[in-house]
Amino acid sequence: MKPAVPWLGRFAGRSILFVMATEAEYGAHLRKLIQPVITGVGPVEAAIGTTQALTALFDAGTPPDLVISLGSAGSNTQEQGRVYQVASVSYRDMDARPLGFAKGATPFLNRPAEIELPIRLHEVPAGRLSTGANIITGPAYAAIDADMVDMESFAVLRACESFGVPMIGLRGISDGAHDLRHYSDWTALLGQLDQKLADIIQRLDTLMP
């Protein structure tokens, strides 16, 4: 059961809500530092979970200064096992081109198809991220105009924007160099990524602009 008022961490002088998709990505190192909201997998669950958490915090009079979305991502170009921050995020499922809108642009939203994140951490490499409801593997990467792929970040960002709260995205590359064939192909690096994500959280005082 989710707490009525989500846990807020205090790092770099800011109150921070941490958001993750699944318990599988929330390992021993992160558990020593944070208590994230676990939203569930995919854009719909991520949007619902983030919105519920932010609503509870605003209703309690304790809105966060920042949301940090953590987890894994796939990439066939970025280094496997390394953590990247999200420079920009797009929504690959959105395609209203038959009505004259650019691919990825949500009709009538007045937001670009690719949205840049407002805060950039020092020293952490950055990449462009594509969010969608499908797992990308093998030849499917050829159709993705981004450095890495996930299933939640765009939804989390849009929820944050609706509350006027900035978001930072941190994604560890768990897969993509080879085709995904088994569940373990995704989970094999999650323990390593957990440690690296925790290291960044511990260093936020020096990494935050």
Side-chain angles (χ1 to χ4, degrees):
M1 180 180 295
K2 296 178 182 178
V5 179
W7 181 90
L8 288 177
R10 187 95 189 157
F11 298 88
R14 294 170 170 87
S15 62
I16 301 176
L17 172 68
F18 294 91
V19 177
M20 301 186 76
T22 172
E23 293 277 353
E25 299 167 308
Y26 181 38
H29 294 88
L30 285 173
R31 288 175 187 272
K32 295 177 182 178
L33 298 174
I34 64 172
Q35 297 176 32
V37 170
I38 304 295
T39 65
V41 174
V44 173
E45 302 309 313
I48 292 170
T50 305
T51 298
Q52 288 177 335
L54 288 171
T55 298
L57 289 168
F58 272 78
D59 287 348
T62 57
D65 299 316
L66 177 67
V67 170
I68 296 184
S69 175
L70 303 168
S72 63
S75 178
N76 66 345
T77 59
Q78 307 292 71
E79 182 180 342
Q80 308 289 290
R82 190 172 189 183
V83 173
Y84 295 83
Q85 61 182 311
V86 179
S88 61
V89 62
S90 55
Y91 184 24
R92 64 179 176 270
D93 293 344
M94 182 58 66
D95 190 352
R97 285 178 293 179
L99 298 182
F101 297 94
K103 188 178 188 309
T106 301
F108 318 118
L109 184 60
N110 196 30
R111 299 292 281 126
E114 184 172 346
I115 302 176
E116 292 190 11
L117 270 63
I119 300 175
R120 192 71 60 86
L121 298 177
H122 303 303
E123 301 178 18
V124 181
R128 299 166 59 231
L129 177 67
S130 167
T131 290
N134 60 325
I135 292 176
I136 302 299
T137 187
Y141 276 106
I144 305 298
D145 181 20
D147 302 307
M148 46 190 178
V149 295
D150 82 346
M151 301 176 74
E152 293 83 27
S153 291
F154 188 89
V156 175
L157 175 62
R158 288 294 297 126
C160 290
E161 287 185 337
S162 71
F163 284 85
V165 178
M167 184 193 102
I168 289 174
L170 294 172
R171 284 290 181 272
I173 306 302
S174 58
D175 58 85
H178 307 285
D179 289 2
L180 286 169
R181 300 183 185 279
H182 305 284
Y183 181 78
S184 60
D185 294 338
W186 168 57
T187 60
L189 293 179
L190 293 186
Q192 177 181 331
L193 295 174
D194 170 67
Q195 184 172 7
K196 292 183 177 181
L197 287 166
D199 177 66
I200 291 174
I201 299 303
Q202 288 180 305
R203 297 189 295 122
L204 280 177
D205 283 344
T206 59
L207 298 177
M208 197 75 75

